[in-house]
Amino acid sequence: VASSHPPQFRARGRRLMSIAPIASPVLATLRVAASTRESPSPARRVAPARSRVFERVVVRSRAVPSDTTSASVMSADVPSLRLVYFDVMAKGMQVTMVAHHSGLSWEGKPEGFAWRDGTNAMKPRAPFGQLPLLFVGGDDTAPVAQATAIAAVIGKLAGTDGAENVNDFAMSSMLVAEAEDIYAALQKGQPTLYAKIGSGVKTEQTHEELWTKSLPHHLGCLEKLCDVDGRFTSTGVTSGEMFLWGVLHQVALLAKAFVFDGRPKLAAYYERIALMERTVEVLEGKSPAGSMAQYFVAGPIH
């Protein structure tokens, strides 16, 4: 997927949002200039010449209302929605953000959810043998597969895909594609709950390239596309912006200072959405998706 995004797609002259400082022990502390640094996994090889610092995101409780709460209009014609994924962030955080910020009513995993066996086993119904799945109009319907397709369907139903403005629609679509590129890079080079360095394509070399080449490139491109008020589109709450946030948050959990130092516009975007009420609910496990464990682990080489 192409990663260059023409700046002319951006809307200008938007209102600068003022984010009040908020702190408590339940949601992410989002100070970009971090005073505290942690060392990544002690199992990682230390290479002082490639200095990397990072901090874990701490949680807090207060939040500002989500713009999508009032912007989305519920319709009697909107079918029922059920979003199904495992209890980890991975591919689930992105689509959960899109669903929960859509303003639509939706459900999470059915009671008795299972992957391979049982009444509510999902693998036999998965078109590509994987999750997430979105059931539209009932659990007996053929599910929508692939995270990008799910985001597109929800955005279409909710009117959050930016389709009323061709520039917003283009940017929202670009952000989904860019988020997928970042996720693919993480899968190639970053340890997960289930795969450490040395498993498959995850090598010391791919891990180093992730943090020295791939991520700096992607984050730099996003910084150029974002406005000073932390918006990529005229509304700032398109499905693409929520989808991207779901991936960016997973990088921030590994190395927040690395992500945002020197990138103030991207930091404003992350902070603005992180403070929204619906984002708070997602991170606290209070959305229909429930709690999601961190998937990528260990942090960067430093």
Side-chain angles (χ1 to χ4, degrees):
V1 180
S3 61
S4 60
H5 307 316
Q8 63 264 35
F9 281 138
R10 293 181 298 163
R12 299 289 182 178
R14 305 187 188 101
R15 178 175 57 87
L16 180 64
M17 293 190 65
S18 175
I19 303 297
I22 301 174
S24 94
V26 187
L27 237 198
T29 303
L30 302 166
R31 292 185 300 272
V32 174
S35 58
T36 305
R37 299 289 186 263
E38 296 180 44
S39 171
S41 169
R44 307 294 315 125
R45 184 174 61 191
V46 176
R50 298 187 297 272
S51 178
R52 294 285 183 271
V53 291
F54 73 102
E55 62 172 345
R56 300 278 178 191
V57 177
V58 188
V59 283
R60 68 181 161 202
S61 58
R62 291 183 56 202
V64 296
S66 300
D67 289 355
T68 47
T69 303
S70 57
S72 297
V73 178
M74 290 296 295
S75 168
D77 297 330
V78 175
S80 63
L81 300 174
R82 184 186 293 280
L83 181 60
V84 180
Y85 195 66
F86 305 109
D87 294 330
V88 292
M89 293 181 180
K91 287 278 189 176
M93 175 60 79
Q94 301 88 290
V95 289
T96 297
M97 284 290 293
V98 172
H100 207 50
H101 280 275
S102 70
L104 301 177
S105 177
W106 65 286
E107 297 178 279
K109 297 180 291 294
E111 185 176 351
F113 162 78
W115 174 230
R116 297 181 184 277
D117 304 307
T119 304
N120 283 320
M122 291 294 140
K123 187 172 184 179
R125 304 189 61 185
F128 302 105
Q130 60 189 23
L131 298 181
L133 296 176
L134 177 69
F135 292 87
V136 181
D139 293 351
D140 57 345
T141 60
V144 179
Q146 302 291 2
T148 54
I150 290 171
V153 170
I154 295 175
K156 176 70 172 178
L157 291 173
T160 57
D161 58 359
E164 293 184 358
N165 179 313
V166 67
N167 291 339
D168 283 353
F169 178 74
M171 180 60 71
S172 179
S173 301
M174 288 160 56
L175 295 179
V176 171
E178 174 65 0
E180 284 288 280
D181 284 353
I182 295 174
Y183 187 88
L186 288 167
Q187 280 286 42
K188 183 178 179 181
Q190 190 62 27
T192 71
L193 283 175
Y194 312 106
K196 60 184 180 180
I197 294 295
S199 304
V201 299
K202 296 180 191 291
T203 65
E204 293 285 350
Q205 181 179 351
T206 59
H207 186 65
E208 179 180 352
E209 288 175 352
L210 173 68
W211 293 96
T212 60
K213 296 179 181 180
S214 182
L215 284 177
H217 168 73
H218 287 295
L219 297 172
C221 290
L222 289 169
E223 175 69 13
K224 291 176 183 178
L225 285 174
C226 194
D227 279 352
V228 293
D229 58 354
R231 295 170 184 244
F232 289 93
T233 67
S234 63
T235 67
V237 291
T238 60
S239 51
E241 283 160 299
M242 298 306 166
F243 192 96
L244 174 66
W245 195 95
V247 173
L248 195 62
H249 177 64
Q250 297 186 66
V251 183
L253 287 173
L254 298 170
K256 196 178 90 172
F258 171 90
V259 175
F260 299 122
D261 282 353
R263 301 181 184 96
K265 294 185 291 184
L266 193 59
Y269 153 76
Y270 177 80
E271 196 169 319
R272 178 178 64 82
I273 292 180
L275 293 174
M276 289 181 176
E277 182 179 3
R278 302 244 172 141
T279 305
V280 173
E281 291 172 353
V282 169
L283 295 178
E284 290 183 343
K286 295 179 180 178
S287 81
S291 298
M292 291 179 282
Q294 184 174 335
Y295 177 67
F296 295 106
V297 297
I301 289 178
H302 70 299

